Amino acid sequence: KAIRRQRQMCKETVRILRKKLADQQAIPAYIVLSDKTLHLIATQQPTTIEAFGNINGIGEYKKEKYGKEFIELIKKVLKK
């Protein structure tokens, strides 16, 4: 149950970050990351840029543009 709760919390927090990034750029959230990719991030919980870049749906551009923010957020969630 603890792992499930942690994944759910991670999913919610990465969804909020995706929305924030999309709003800053005035683009739809799915352009930042698809729901499928968001789910993979919440499940795999990457803590390095390399691991983030290995997730299906994350290319070099998104890795460079968004990786650091998502990694920092995931690390905070994992510490809770």
Side-chain angles (χ1 to χ4, degrees):
K1 274 193 167 186
I3 292 171
R4 181 189 238 172
R5 188 167 47 247
Q6 188 180 56
R7 280 188 184 152
Q8 187 60 36
M9 186 162 46
C10 188
K11 189 174 183 179
E12 291 304 316
T13 54
V14 295
R15 187 180 301 277
I16 291 166
L17 177 57
R18 176 181 72 168
K19 174 82 169 107
K20 181 183 127 190
L21 293 169
D23 288 350
Q24 287 172 352
Q25 299 171 77
I27 59 175
Y30 71 87
I31 299 293
V32 174
L33 294 172
S34 70
D35 286 345
K36 183 178 179 183
T37 302
L38 208 66
H39 175 75
L40 290 172
I41 292 169
T43 303
Q44 296 177 24
Q45 300 175 347
T47 56
T48 66
I49 295 293
E50 293 76 27
F52 182 80
N54 288 333
I55 291 176
N56 191 21
I58 304 287
E60 196 63 33
Y61 175 79
K62 289 184 180 182
K63 181 176 96 170
E64 294 297 320
K65 184 162 180 129
Y66 306 122
K68 187 177 179 195
E69 288 183 84
F70 278 96
I71 296 307
E72 287 175 3
L73 182 66
I74 291 165
K75 286 180 179 179
K76 285 180 189 173
V77 170
L78 293 176
K79 283 183 181 178
K80 290 183 181 180

